[in-house]
Amino acid sequence: MKFISTRGQASPVGFVDACLAGLAPDGGLYVPEFWPRIEPAGPKESYVSVASRVIAAFADGELTTDEINGICERAYAGFAHQSVAPLVQWGSNAFIMELHHGPTLAFKDIAMQLIAQLFDHVLAARGARMSVTCATSGDTGGAAAAAFAGASQVDLFILHPFERVSPVQRLFMTTTGASNVHNIAIDGDFDACQSIVKSLFADRDFVDETGLSGVNSINWARIAAQSVYYATAQAALGSDRPLKFIVPSGNMGDALAGYVAARCGLLNGFEAVCAVNENETLKTLFESGRMVRTPAIATPSPAMDISVPSNFERIAFEVSGRDPEAIRQIYAGFAQSGDVELPEKIRGPLSCSGLSAQSVSNSTTLDEMRKLLQETGWLICPHTAVGTQVARQLFGDDDATIVVLSTAHAAKFPETVLEATGADAPLPARVANVADRPEVFDRLSSDPTVVRDYIRQRQRD
Ligand SMILES: *Cc1c(COP(=O)(O)O)cnc(C)c1O
């Protein structure tokens, strides 16, 4: 199977190359040229088995079954729960799916663990090395550090804004002790980190020289990996039970993965509500068909403080009937003015895509955390609270069983948990030792040339 770009001006590539590249060279996002049929998960099938079948469907012969099984087994061996993504019953017809049993207590682990195993395996087979870079406002960097620590073929360079990530988030990045993980604290904010990464990728000579790649939320391997837990939720709750997923959303990778699962036949129907915080771009997109750039604002759920959700491009491409011309027009207009109206050929089908969006204010998010603790005794993270609050508004409205995705452990955001509930959220014992390990990071100015030289010096030949 080939992967094509949503902007239609890049050559089709295979699964491995699409994953190693991340972004397509024409600036678009890779999507499979058609949706493979994948057998739904069986009620007794293991998570690793479902993951292997999903990856096999997209890899389509590029990797052997044994290779894929090995990658998936290693990816999920470090999870603290046997089922990887367990369901907890919340209401008579509502469940919470816990996606935070990985090494860094956030759902990013589920995709990042798989991507690291995949990269290391295929690069070793090609006798190649690669440098991977990512800018992080918190969770992605830690998940990447944990996943790539000790990888033989990959050197990882993580850029985080100096003193602007939470202490727990920083510890997960800086204490791996692995010599191939390089943490850079940039004197600047998250936007400065992102713009440095952008300018690194814009320097084609540097990209070729270093074999530079990214693992951000548009990477197809991440989307494929995330579609697996939608399938296991359907299997666990019954194959003929209609489900409605509530997905705390930022870049929309997670919600897109649900859409992909449905398109491949892994779900019985599809309905997902993107639960967003006060950064409401997605809500505006779904409600008025306008894509408007507004500066990201800081909220209690920082992993969702996204101004423009990058994976929306794939949804727009699908609902347009896969019209790359329409996508190029939208994004060219958007780059110019930061405010475009989606054409009718996208707006109409978007409203029937099964996807929608709801937003929750900062104060309601904190209230929700307190309320859930009072009702159930559970401490939840602020991102999950945005989801449970949206779910609460839907209770009684329809017959579908509600599944809220819990995207992080409360202990990842102890300051917010304390503010909202007055309760401490200590790290689970299995990871508590991060606080005792030595931290390693370098502080650099926000000058891309400084970062470029740093990567040149540190990467292995
Ligand atoms: C990344 C993240 C999200 C948002 O996920 P997207 O795939 O970007 O929509 C939500 N919650 C947490 C805790 C995250 O780390």
Side-chain angles (χ1 to χ4, degrees), residues 106-108 139-140 217 222 226 247-255 303-304 306 311 381 383-384 407-408 413:
F107 94 102
K108 301 280 192 303
D139 286 344
T140 302
S217 57
R222 283 180 64 174
Q226 289 169 30
V247 190
S249 293
N251 271 316
M252 229 189 147
D254 207 357
M304 304 177 357
I306 302 291
N311 276 295
C381 94
H383 308 78
T384 306
T407 50
F413 301 92

Side-chain angles (χ1 to χ4, degrees), residues 146-181:
F148 283 100
S152 62
Q153 312 305 118
V154 176
D155 295 307
L156 178 68
F157 297 89
I158 306 168
L159 281 65
H160 74 264
F162 181 63
E163 289 188 335
R164 296 195 206 200
V165 296
S166 81
V168 176
Q169 289 179 321
R170 196 189 63 238
L171 287 169
F172 276 120
M173 290 188 259
T174 57
T175 63
T176 63
S179 59
N180 69 321
V181 173

Side-chain angles (χ1 to χ4, degrees), residues 61-374:
E62 278 187 67
L63 298 163
T64 66
T65 310
D66 280 353
E67 287 179 298
I68 294 172
N69 286 344
I71 287 168
C72 294
E73 261 162 34
R74 291 191 296 277
Y76 299 112
F79 278 63
H81 200 287
Q82 269 187 27
S83 65
V84 179
L87 285 157
V88 177
Q89 187 150 14
W90 174 28
S92 59
N93 199 20
F95 294 79
I96 292 179
M97 188 169 222
E98 294 180 343
L99 303 177
H100 50 67
H101 292 276
T104 72
L105 310 181
F107 94 102
K108 301 280 192 303
D109 287 326
I110 293 184
M112 212 60 91
Q113 286 288 328
L114 189 130
I115 225 177
Q117 295 300 334
L118 175 72
F119 276 28
D120 223 32
H121 179 84
V122 300
L123 288 169
R126 292 179 178 189
R129 276 239 169 83
M130 194 173 238
S131 286
V132 165
T133 185
C134 70
T136 184
S137 59
D139 286 344
T140 302
F148 283 100
S152 62
Q153 312 305 118
V154 176
D155 295 307
L156 178 68
F157 297 89
I158 306 168
L159 281 65
H160 74 264
F162 181 63
E163 289 188 335
R164 296 195 206 200
V165 296
S166 81
V168 176
Q169 289 179 321
R170 196 189 63 238
L171 287 169
F172 276 120
M173 290 188 259
T174 57
T175 63
T176 63
S179 59
N180 69 321
V181 173
H182 305 277
N183 289 288
I184 307 172
I186 293 291
D187 280 318
D189 57 11
F190 174 58
D191 283 338
C193 297
Q194 266 190 317
S195 90
I196 294 169
V197 168
K198 248 192 182 157
S199 76
L200 295 179
F201 281 111
D203 182 345
R204 294 315 298 182
D205 292 339
F206 178 72
V207 169
D208 292 342
E209 173 201 334
T210 53
L212 195 68
S213 181
V215 288
N216 61 10
S217 57
I218 55 95
N219 195 295
W220 182 259
R222 283 180 64 174
I223 308 297
Q226 289 169 30
S227 66
V228 175
Y229 46 77
Y230 286 89
T232 61
Q234 183 76 68
L237 294 171
S239 59
D240 29 357
R241 192 167 179 173
L243 305 180
K244 186 175 208 159
F245 291 94
I246 315 295
V247 190
S249 293
N251 271 316
M252 229 189 147
D254 207 357
L256 172 73
Y259 178 87
V260 168
R263 292 300 298 262
C264 296
L266 293 163
L267 296 179
N268 178 356
F270 181 60
E271 247 190 305
V273 184
C274 299
V276 299
N277 60 28
E278 291 188 4
N279 292 282
E280 292 189 320
T281 313
L282 256 181
K283 190 168 179 239
T284 312
L285 263 168
F286 280 102
E287 282 180 1
S288 63
R290 270 179 69 207
M291 184 154 67
V292 191
R293 184 179 307 126
T294 45
I297 50 175
T299 73
S301 46
M304 304 177 357
D305 293 348
I306 302 291
S307 117
V308 183
S310 48
N311 276 295
F312 181 76
E313 179 163 347
R314 286 187 168 112
I315 295 291
F317 182 67
E318 282 308 311
V319 302
S320 73
R322 299 196 151 204
D323 178 354
E325 172 80 44
I327 301 303
R328 284 203 300 275
Q329 241 169 37
I330 293 170
Y331 284 90
F334 185 69
Q336 215 164 48
S337 67
D339 183 351
V340 290
E341 197 135 330
L342 299 177
E344 189 43 47
K345 78 174 288 191
I346 290 182
R347 267 157 68 171
L350 185 62
S351 61
C352 322
S353 64
L355 286 159
S356 59
Q358 289 294 332
S359 69
V360 176
S361 74
N362 293 350
S363 62
T364 309
T365 303
L366 299 182
D367 289 347
E368 174 69 22
M369 292 168 73
R370 188 166 47 245
K371 196 164 179 181
L372 207 88
L373 177 64
Q374 281 163 0

